[in-house]
Amino acid sequence: MSNDQKVIDITVLAQQLNAIAQTGLTYAKDVFDRERYETLQQMAVELIGSRFDIDAKTWNHVSEVGYATPKTDVRAFILREGKVLLVREADDGLWSLPSGWADVGDTPSIAVSREVKEETGLSVKVTKLLGVWDRNLNGHPPYPWHVYKHIFLCEEIGGSLALSHESTDIGFFDINELPELSLTRIVPEQIKVSMDIATSERPTWFD
């Protein structure tokens, strides 16, 4: 087993420990059971903290309440003359598909359309789900949260390209000449598979 695989395994273990503790604290009635789940949650804090240096304030966002489920990431795949739209992220200077977290109350299509409008200035219509990717399985750097990434094919229906506070550049790129990607957000294989599905009869990808 490689060192990278060991890091990923520790991350997944911490995610699972925290999920068990979070769900247990939601439903446990016995005070001793709650103490055990709190201890388990602290173990998850220490595991994740050792890898990500997460402070207590940030941990409050990692460790939520209620039944634990993966977070939902929505991404837009927009083509113009055979090239895919990417935005350059302000926080790391690298490139990704327009994207964001789905908000409670949104449908997936509304969530991704909103993110496109906010990040690029374009109005779009969602036409197809290209893929659902488990972030833990597809070559992303380790991350505190367990995430399902949903990539949607979107058709331009209005607006014009405009930067947001979250991005420093924007443009359409040939699939074979992609800029350096923000691997925390997207990996080359996801873009290549999405392009194949968007331009063929290939079915939706899912893990």
Side-chain angles (χ1 to χ4, degrees), residues 32-95:
F32 298 108
D33 283 342
R34 293 191 62 82
E35 288 179 355
R36 294 185 185 100
Y37 286 124
E38 288 169 354
T39 299
L40 190 63
Q41 191 169 65
Q42 184 58 39
M43 292 170 63
V45 170
E46 292 173 1
L47 275 174
I48 292 182
S50 68
R51 173 59 181 154
F52 299 100
D53 192 26
I54 297 175
D55 58 27
K57 182 178 179 180
T58 303
W59 177 254
N60 289 333
H61 297 288
V62 178
S63 182
E64 301 169 338
V65 296
Y67 189 89
T69 61
K71 295 176 74 67
T72 302
D73 174 322
V74 293
R75 299 191 172 265
F77 199 83
I78 303 167
L79 295 173
R80 183 186 289 182
E81 298 179 352
K83 296 183 177 182
V84 62
L85 180 66
L86 299 176
V87 296
R88 189 169 190 172
E89 302 289 347
D91 64 351
D92 63 8
L94 304 176
W95 294 80

Side-chain angles (χ1 to χ4, degrees), residues 7-193:
V7 169
I8 292 172
D9 288 346
I10 290 172
T11 302
V12 173
L13 175 62
Q15 292 170 349
Q16 292 173 337
L17 284 174
N18 185 56
I20 292 169
Q22 177 181 315
T23 302
L25 287 169
T26 300
Y27 295 109
K29 304 298 183 183
D30 184 86
V31 63
F32 298 108
D33 283 342
R34 293 191 62 82
E35 288 179 355
R36 294 185 185 100
Y37 286 124
E38 288 169 354
T39 299
L40 190 63
Q41 191 169 65
Q42 184 58 39
M43 292 170 63
V45 170
E46 292 173 1
L47 275 174
I48 292 182
S50 68
R51 173 59 181 154
F52 299 100
D53 192 26
I54 297 175
D55 58 27
K57 182 178 179 180
T58 303
W59 177 254
N60 289 333
H61 297 288
V62 178
S63 182
E64 301 169 338
V65 296
Y67 189 89
T69 61
K71 295 176 74 67
T72 302
D73 174 322
V74 293
R75 299 191 172 265
F77 199 83
I78 303 167
L79 295 173
R80 183 186 289 182
E81 298 179 352
K83 296 183 177 182
V84 62
L85 180 66
L86 299 176
V87 296
R88 189 169 190 172
E89 302 289 347
D91 64 351
D92 63 8
L94 304 176
W95 294 80
S96 180
L97 299 175
S99 61
W101 298 120
D103 289 339
V104 173
D106 281 348
T107 64
S109 59
I110 288 175
V112 74
S113 297
R114 183 193 65 247
E115 292 297 330
V116 172
K117 185 66 175 179
E118 291 177 354
E119 292 190 7
T120 73
L122 297 178
S123 298
V124 297
K125 176 177 68 175
V126 179
T127 61
K128 185 178 182 179
L129 175 62
L130 299 176
V132 180
W133 302 74
D134 185 329
R135 192 188 183 285
N136 285 344
L137 302 180
N138 292 286
H140 295 277
Y143 200 55
W145 296 272
H146 188 195
V147 178
Y148 288 168
K149 307 177 79 65
H150 299 69
I151 301 178
F152 294 90
L153 182 62
C154 298
E155 176 186 331
E156 293 183 61
I157 58 175
S160 58
L161 292 178
L163 294 177
S164 73
H165 68 281
E166 297 178 350
S167 57
T168 60
D169 202 358
I170 188 170
F172 286 87
F173 294 86
D174 186 284
I175 191 72
N176 297 312
E177 298 178 355
L178 295 174
E180 187 175 2
L181 298 177
S182 178
L183 298 181
T184 293
R185 298 174 171 88
I186 198 74
V187 295
E189 182 68 12
Q190 291 164 340
I191 293 181
K192 292 176 182 178
V193 171

